[in-house]
Amino acid sequence: MSLLIKGGEIVTGTEHYIADIYCEHERITHIDRYIEAPAGAEVINASGKYVFPGFIDPHVHIYLPFMGTFSKDTYETASKAALVGGTTTLIEMVCPSREMSAAQGFRLWQEQAAGKSACDYTFHMGVTRFDDENASQLREIVAAGISSFKIFLAYKGAFGIDDAELYQTLKLAKELGVIVTAHCENETLVAERQKELLATGKTGPEQHHESRPPRVEAEGVHHLMTFAELTGAHVYIVHLSCDEALREALAARHRGVNVWIETLIQYLVLDKTDTERPEFEGSKFVMSPPLRDKSNQPVLWNGLSSGEIQTVATDHAPFDFKTQKPMGRDDFTKIPNGIPSLEDRVNLLYTHGVKAGRLDLHTFVNVASTNAAKTFGLFPRKGAIQIGADADLVIYDPEYRGTISAKTQTMNVDYSAFEGWEIEGRPSVVTVRGEVAVREGKFVGTIGRGKLLAREATHS
């Protein structure tokens, strides 16, 4: 199988030029101004279009038991949606319960993905308890090629770990050269505020924000930064949503803490007024940390543009509006959390970032692909257009104009948080290791082609 992409405007995190790209044996093997098509090669004309490295979503939930229900996507539906949206690699959070061992959790999540994904994938290994058994199993999981952990400083009694477990997890990560991704909120403040709000009859979706305001997230970041500083561990803040939390992270970086920062496409384009929509419509927009006041959006956009924030993810967690979100109709704490965005991230980031003049093309590629590849041990196999890199490529049509709708989306969920929103640009062709997986918004790839990516621990 060989593929020749001709005349595209190649854009990476550092380079911008017009050339042909030849791919064979799943890799990029030749880049030149003009390449003659070898016999039998599939030729795609990319003239007038950008060619980007395949995009990477470093934070998704596909298999997710949560609040007594399960997320709606499978690896088959999620990987299709990812590819249609230009994302060619997923990093999923393994989230075992505290009753489950690390090995059991890792095995369960592997079983959900094996042979079912159309794109490549890997995992962040959730540490939801720390003891001798789990420590031993975590070492084995890292040796098997999973070079990042995930911890929760929230969800008390479910996924959350206590401070002793936090300290020991970070010490082990430092020893193994593993980066620790962290959900940062103060779990005690969240739990106490939830009880107070419910006791006074404040039960609607808009109260979710009031139970975990910006200072609660900032305190979680501050807490993690202290532990990271004292252990020397490398840490990555997932789904940072607000100015207060960003200030805590940057203050720690200034004093030498090794910290990377992720925000989400939802925080860049939605705000907390969406959770105030009537008739329980606000439940579509409940996630944690919550959508914030709109004044935070310029702070986050500027953080991306300046390099203070490294990545844009989705925290994709699809729960149906009609059958699952109503679990919390009379109690906002029971609304399944998540705003499904896996399919829309790249197009929204291009439309509201690049086209709006907030991001240049190089920053766009870095925050949506290359930085994640570098942070999580995938570069230059992923996130790059160079000889030897995997032939994961997105031919992007900047002239396309369309509208987002649940009626036409690939994600297996019954609503879109961006219903009726217009987009400027979309992937016209997407490849996975040299095989065309998407043409003009339609999945044409192979279910099961996706591979589990082994990664080396490099954050010592």
Side-chain angles (χ1 to χ4, degrees), residues 225 248-261 307-310:
M225 295 301 97
E248 293 287 352
L250 295 180
R253 185 181 287 164
H254 181 71
R255 64 180 189 262
V257 176
N258 294 301
V259 55
W260 287 256
I261 304 169
E308 293 174 339
I309 299 173
Q310 283 66 57

Side-chain angles (χ1 to χ4, degrees), residues 165-242:
E165 292 171 314
L166 171 60
Y167 186 70
Q168 295 300 328
T169 300
L170 292 178
K171 282 183 63 178
L172 179 63
K174 173 64 176 175
E175 176 193 336
L176 299 178
V178 165
I179 190 168
V180 179
T181 73
H183 177 131
C184 296
E185 292 180 292
N186 183 286
E187 62 177 18
T188 301
L189 285 172
V190 171
E192 293 303 313
R193 290 177 67 87
Q194 286 177 336
K195 287 191 292 185
E196 289 174 356
L197 289 164
L198 293 174
T200 57
K202 296 177 178 178
T203 62
E206 71 280 1
Q207 301 303 325
H208 180 70
H209 179 277
E210 302 313 303
S211 72
R212 50 217 313 155
R215 182 46 52 192
V216 168
E217 182 183 348
E219 170 56 27
V221 172
H222 176 82
H223 197 73
L224 176 70
M225 295 301 97
T226 300
F227 279 69
E229 185 172 10
L230 294 175
T231 59
H234 291 221
V235 292
Y236 174 99
I237 300 168
V238 300
H239 51 42
L240 184 136
S241 73
C242 60

Side-chain angles (χ1 to χ4, degrees), residues 70-86:
F70 291 85
S71 52
K72 286 298 300 296
D73 266 323
T74 63
Y75 260 87
E76 181 171 338
T77 61
S79 62
K80 286 181 180 179
L83 287 164
V84 167

Side-chain angles (χ1 to χ4, degrees), residues 362-373:
H362 297 302
T363 303
F364 169 69
V365 172
N366 278 324
V367 302
S369 178
T370 306
N371 288 347

Side-chain angles (χ1 to χ4, degrees), residues 246 298-310:
L246 180 60
V299 174
L300 298 177
W301 282 113
N302 290 339
L304 290 167
S305 180
S306 68
E308 293 174 339
I309 299 173
Q310 283 66 57

